[in-house]
Amino acid sequence: MNDVMIEVAHLSHTYTTAPVKKKALDDVSMQIPRGECVAVIGFNGSGKSTLVQHFNGLLRPTPGSVRVDGVDVGGAQVNLRALRQKVGMLFQFPESQLFASTIYQDVAFGPQRMGLGRHELRARVKHALDIVGLPLQDYGQRSPFELSGGQRRRVALAGILAMTPRVLILDEPSVGLDGEGRAEFYAYLQRVRQEQGVTTILVSHDMAEVAAIADGLYVLHHGKLVMQGTPASVFAQSEQLRRWDLAAPPLHELLAALRQRGIALPEDVMSVEDAFHFLQQTQKQKQKQLPDVSSRS
Amino acid sequence: MLQPLIDLQQVTYAYPVRPGSAQQESPALRKLSLQIQQGEYVVILGHNGSGKSTLARQCNALLLPDQGQVIVAGMDTRDLASHPAIRARVGMIFQNPDNQLIATVVEDDVAWSLTVLGYSASEIRQRVNEALEAVGIADLRALPPHKLSGGQRQRVAIAGILALRPDCIIADEATSMLDPVSRQEMGKLFARLNRDLGITIVQVTHLLEEAVYAQRIVLMEQGQIVQTGQPGQLLSDIERLRALKLIIPDSLSLAARLRAAGFRIAEDAVTVEQIAREIARE
């Protein structure tokens, strides 16, 4: 067992069906560590969706290679069914893909097709619904269409969790949710990570929303991997990010504006809390210094 | 006293109950009164389900009040014959740009309503040119909408309304499907249309960071207006906003914490630039 879950080497992709041939991915290489939560970030058309569609075999790596858990997904012998069980993908607006008349049936649909026994199936659905905070006994027999947008999205997530994937790919998971729905969704996502040790890959163009939970960021621009690193190191480059049509989180924009005005905030300031303490300290020091200056003069 | 452009008086509205549904629908708007003057830039702020979109739809007669009345430019929305005139003066753009574009080429889409209304070819051409210029996409006029980004497609939708030369544009969560950079640009566009063309802007959103550029914020909860005022007045009470299930931008959180710790930060500093200036001044 090695500690790299997904290994991408020199991956390129050109959409041949487009009227004008466009290179959607251009020589991308990356290694995503097992059990981590990473985010792929980029403006519309930067290639982020194209990249992750290689991870569960929706696209074949040509040219280049993609290995998931050691298995070459471009190999002739690859079992796509097993791969897609291992790598679950939540598409944008997944609640629009709910179709069954009860929440139980909807969540059970995927695992059912894996040929599980009735008890195993029920246990899986129960567990998945527990994780997303919609307990089976309360919600199982209700229609998904009675729920709020955020809850429906969690039903869609449960449908994927019930297949016990080792990798979870989420494409713009919080678009269209309000503050509460978003915070809830991320809280449940954190639980999934903690309880199941799933390697999580977020696709997003919103840095603020991934900053809270991602361990590492990969920035794509015009199909090229242009930056990678911890959120702190990536956000410190807010000028550079603007050039790629990306905005650093609002806090980091404020920090950049403060630095421009001569306040020497260290790079590891990552939260409102950090910034508050730093500014309070500097003010106290200033106040201490002021009387000293006057007494000396 | 100037007559307001949009005047909602004691409006109550409940969505019709679906047959067979056990749930009793509670009213989406409850005795709500609001006046919007010509030339204002108003943000209607609230979380999902607070009634803000219902309020917006009352403003151009997409929904009609169960009780109370809505007067738009002197016309009562309950008078069905006035609807075309009301909608020509108060245009609306929605969340998903893909649901509101119909033509295969950008300029045809912008010209659509004018064509339907029977304007002459030269008049249409002139108005379409103006509208495309105003939203900054004149260079994209010959492209099919699917070739555009989300932010560009919303601009096409706005241009389609501008071509009708309205008094007011209502944007119902029009930025929530856009990326942060396009969202900021959309905010700048609204401010510019308001300032340069005098168009009344009513922006419906659940995002506080979009509210900071408004002249007036209307805060909604459970179908009622809980507060209305300038951004500086409303946005300094962070705890209250949080209780209304709104996401507090980090810049405002930091400003509030510093203020509580004795920093002198003016309450009307709400944008990132203003807050940075205040902090640096200390």
Side-chain angles (χ1 to χ4, degrees):
Chain A
M1 183 142 151
N2 79 45
D3 52 2
V4 175
M5 190 65 180
I6 292 178
E7 185 173 13
V8 178
H10 304 293
L11 180 65
S12 295
H13 187 85
T14 307
Y15 283 108
T16 48
T17 49
V20 185
K21 282 197 181 181
K22 198 185 151 215
K23 222 168 191 184
L25 287 177
D26 191 355
D27 197 18
V28 171
S29 298
M30 59 169 63
Q31 297 189 330
I32 298 174
R34 188 183 299 276
E36 278 205 7
C37 175
V38 300
V40 180
I41 281 171
F43 192 65
N44 299 339
S46 61
K48 48 193 196 304
S49 292
T50 307
L51 173 66
V52 298
Q53 281 172 18
H54 283 88
F55 297 170
N56 75 341
L58 284 175
L59 291 173
R60 288 305 186 85
T62 49
S65 76
V66 175
R67 301 179 85 84
V68 176
D69 209 2
V71 177
D72 181 357
V73 303
Q77 306 299 318
V78 70
N79 179 346
L80 283 177
R81 214 180 154 132
L83 177 66
R84 285 175 192 156
Q85 218 165 288
K86 183 179 276 179
V87 183
M89 190 180 292
L90 196 68
F91 291 98
Q92 286 185 39
F93 294 98
E95 60 276 19
S96 63
Q97 297 168 37
L98 301 180
F99 63 96
S101 52
T102 69
I103 290 170
Y104 180 88
Q105 285 169 1
D106 216 300
V107 175
F109 181 77
Q112 217 158 21
R113 290 169 56 87
M114 290 162 63
L116 300 174
R118 201 144 44 96
H119 293 290
E120 169 73 8
L121 180 66
R122 192 176 167 79
R124 290 232 193 157
V125 173
K126 182 175 185 312
H127 189 222
L129 283 172
D130 274 343
I131 293 178
V132 300
L134 301 168
L136 179 64
Q137 64 272 23
D138 300 334
Y139 287 90
Q141 293 313 310
R142 289 174 62 179
S143 160
F145 303 101
E146 288 174 18
L147 305 181
S148 73
Q151 288 174 324
R152 288 212 299 272
R153 199 165 289 190
R154 275 148 53 197
V155 172
L157 177 62
I160 291 177
L161 295 178
M163 298 174 66
T164 60
R166 303 311 307 149
V167 179
L168 187 58
I169 300 172
L170 304 130
D171 198 350
E172 304 282 3
S174 76
V175 168
L177 297 183
D178 68 357
E180 197 181 46
R182 194 173 282 204
E184 271 176 10
F185 189 85
Y186 278 120
Y188 288 114
L189 196 58
Q190 289 286 39
R191 245 181 98 181
V192 172
R193 285 189 61 205
Q194 280 157 11
E195 290 183 14
Q196 315 214 328
V198 180
T199 306
T200 311
I201 300 164
L202 296 163
V203 176
S204 180
H205 52 227
D206 189 343
M207 306 266 224
E209 74 172 38
V210 299
I213 58 172
D215 307 312
L217 305 181
Y218 298 92
V219 183
L220 288 183
H221 178 66
H222 288 327
K224 284 195 164 73
L225 181 63
V226 288
M227 194 185 271
Q228 64 178 21
T230 61
S233 66
V234 171
F235 296 154
Q237 316 283 326
S238 63
E239 289 291 303
Q240 189 70 31
L241 292 171
R242 285 249 155 215
R243 235 176 297 154
W244 298 323
D245 291 318
L246 294 170
L251 176 66
H252 292 267
E253 302 238 302
L254 177 60
L255 299 182
L258 287 173
R259 288 192 188 106
Q260 263 178 14
R261 288 181 153 79
I263 297 177
L265 286 152
E267 200 184 271
D268 63 357
V269 170
M270 282 297 288
S271 65
V272 170
E273 222 26 59
D274 295 350
F276 173 70
H277 288 300
F278 177 83
L279 290 168
Q280 208 179 23
Q281 284 303 320
T282 34
Q283 202 193 30
K284 276 186 192 149
Q285 280 164 12
K286 251 198 278 178
Q287 280 165 349
K288 259 185 234 155
Q289 281 163 7
L290 286 174
D292 287 354
V293 173
S294 55
S295 62
R296 245 182 281 150
S297 61
Chain B
M1 176 76 191
L2 207 63
Q3 192 193 7
L5 177 65
I6 298 171
D7 189 0
L8 293 98
Q9 299 165 2
Q10 296 281 315
V11 172
T12 296
Y13 179 80
Y15 284 94
V17 179
R18 261 185 309 156
S21 167
Q23 258 180 331
Q24 184 63 43
E25 290 286 340
S26 56
L29 295 179
R30 294 187 290 153
K31 292 201 170 178
L32 183 144
S33 295
L34 175 68
Q35 283 75 42
I36 296 172
Q37 302 294 341
Q38 174 71 46
E40 269 200 287
Y41 182 171
V42 180
V43 160
I44 314 256
L45 188 65
H47 66 84
N48 289 3
S50 60
K52 57 193 192 306
S53 288
T54 311
L55 167 59
R57 284 166 165 73
Q58 292 282 353
C59 295
N60 76 339
L62 283 179
L63 293 174
L64 303 178
D66 292 339
Q67 288 157 35
Q69 58 178 355
V70 180
I71 310 290
V72 179
M75 296 173 273
D76 191 325
T77 60
R78 289 172 304 180
D79 171 15
L80 300 188
S82 71
H83 287 187
I86 287 175
R87 289 181 192 145
R89 305 188 66 164
V90 179
M92 192 153 179
I93 56 169
F94 299 92
Q95 184 174 32
N96 189 344
D98 296 340
N99 293 348
Q100 37 195 336
L101 303 184
I102 34 183
T104 51
V105 176
V106 166
E107 59 183 351
D108 289 355
D109 197 273
V110 176
W112 187 271
S113 303
L114 297 174
T115 318
V116 172
L117 293 171
Y119 283 87
S120 72
S122 61
E123 175 78 12
I124 291 176
R125 202 165 298 127
Q126 193 198 338
R127 286 189 177 210
V128 168
N129 286 343
E130 277 175 17
L132 288 171
E133 289 287 344
V135 300
I137 52 166
D139 51 327
L140 305 175
R141 60 188 310 146
L143 290 179
H146 73 260
K147 287 252 177 175
L148 309 182
S149 72
Q152 289 167 336
R153 274 176 286 176
Q154 281 297 36
R155 280 163 195 264
V156 177
I158 294 170
I161 291 172
L162 280 180
L164 294 166
R165 298 193 179 149
D167 296 326
C168 175
I169 294 180
I170 299 175
D172 185 10
E173 294 278 5
T175 62
S176 64
M177 287 176 73
L178 303 182
D179 62 276
V181 173
S182 307
R183 202 181 283 154
Q184 285 173 10
E185 283 176 359
M186 197 60 75
K188 283 184 200 146
L189 174 62
F190 288 141
R192 197 161 51 75
L193 294 176
N194 177 254
R195 194 185 58 228
D196 297 350
L197 302 180
I199 293 176
T200 310
I201 302 287
V202 179
Q203 194 180 355
V204 175
T205 183
H206 64 267
L207 295 170
L208 277 179
E209 55 263 45
E210 298 201 317
V212 298
Y213 299 103
Q215 290 162 359
R216 182 155 69 114
I217 298 175
V218 173
L219 199 52
M220 286 201 62
E221 168 74 357
Q222 293 189 343
Q224 292 182 316
I225 294 173
V226 291
Q227 204 176 346
T228 165
Q230 291 173 346
Q233 297 170 322
L234 240 84
L235 300 182
S236 52
D237 192 352
I238 297 281
E239 287 315 312
R240 181 191 176 94
L241 297 171
R242 198 169 279 136
L244 292 172
K245 299 186 202 165
L246 295 165
I247 314 175
I248 312 299
D250 287 337
S251 47
L252 287 178
S253 300
L254 183 58
R257 288 217 52 183
L258 290 170
R259 207 176 282 132
F263 279 66
R264 285 187 307 265
I265 291 174
E267 293 209 332
D268 61 0
V270 287
T271 68
V272 166
E273 273 305 300
Q274 290 162 348
I275 292 171
R277 201 186 310 135
E278 289 287 309
I279 293 174
R281 208 169 44 90
E282 271 289 297

